[in-house]
Amino acid sequence: MAKSKPRVKAPRKASAGDVMEIKTLISHPMETGLRKGKDGNKIPRRIINKFEASYNGRPVFSAALEPSISANPYFSFHVKADVSGTLEFKWTDDNGDVYTAKKKLKVA
C-alpha cells in the first residue's frame, strides 16, 4: 500500500477575528473490506476512521468516518482566528496508524 500523505491548506497570517477556511486532504486508498483480491480472498478493511483538528490544543473539528467514505478523504471547515499558534491535524486508520500535520498561524 502506498504511504498516506496528508495535505493541509491554511492561511499563514490572519487578523484577530477573521474566519479562516481550512482544507485538508489525505492520500489513502480507503479499502472497505468488501472487495476481493486476485486470490479470491477479501481484502481487509482499512479506512481512515477518525479525523481531528485542533487550534492551540483546543479541538475545533472532528469527524468519525465509515466505510462509504471515498478514497483520499477531503475536509473543508472554518475556524475563527483569535491568537497566534498552531493548527494540528490527525487522521487515524483501522490499523491504528496515525498521520499528522501542523501549520503555524500568526494573528496580528
Side-chain angles (χ1 to χ4, degrees), residues 2 7 21 27-29 33 54 56-57 59 64 69-70 74 76-77 82 84-85 90 96 98 102 104 106 108:
R7 291 183 276 170
E21 183 177 22
S27 299
H28 195 279
S54 63
N56 286 337
I69 195 78
S70 68
Y74 167 82
S76 176
F77 55 96
D82 52 9
S84 296
K90 183 168 91 170
V98 176
K102 293 182 181 183
K104 294 283 186 186
K106 183 173 182 171

Side-chain angles (χ1 to χ4, degrees), residues 46-67:
R46 184 170 181 205
I47 67 168
I48 296 288
N49 58 38
K50 188 175 185 182
F51 172 72
E52 301 168 298
S54 63
Y55 177 24
N56 286 337
R58 186 181 73 232
V60 293
F61 183 85
S62 68
L65 308 176
E66 300 295 331

Side-chain angles (χ1 to χ4, degrees), residues 64-103:
L65 308 176
E66 300 295 331
S68 62
I69 195 78
S70 68
N72 308 322
Y74 167 82
F75 292 102
S76 176
F77 55 96
H78 294 84
V79 175
K80 186 175 181 180
D82 52 9
V83 296
S84 296
T86 304
L87 294 158
E88 296 183 59
F89 309 91
K90 183 168 91 170
W91 296 260
T92 307
D93 75 12
D94 285 342
N95 288 357
D97 293 336
V98 176
Y99 310 96
T100 61
K102 293 182 181 183
K103 292 287 183 174

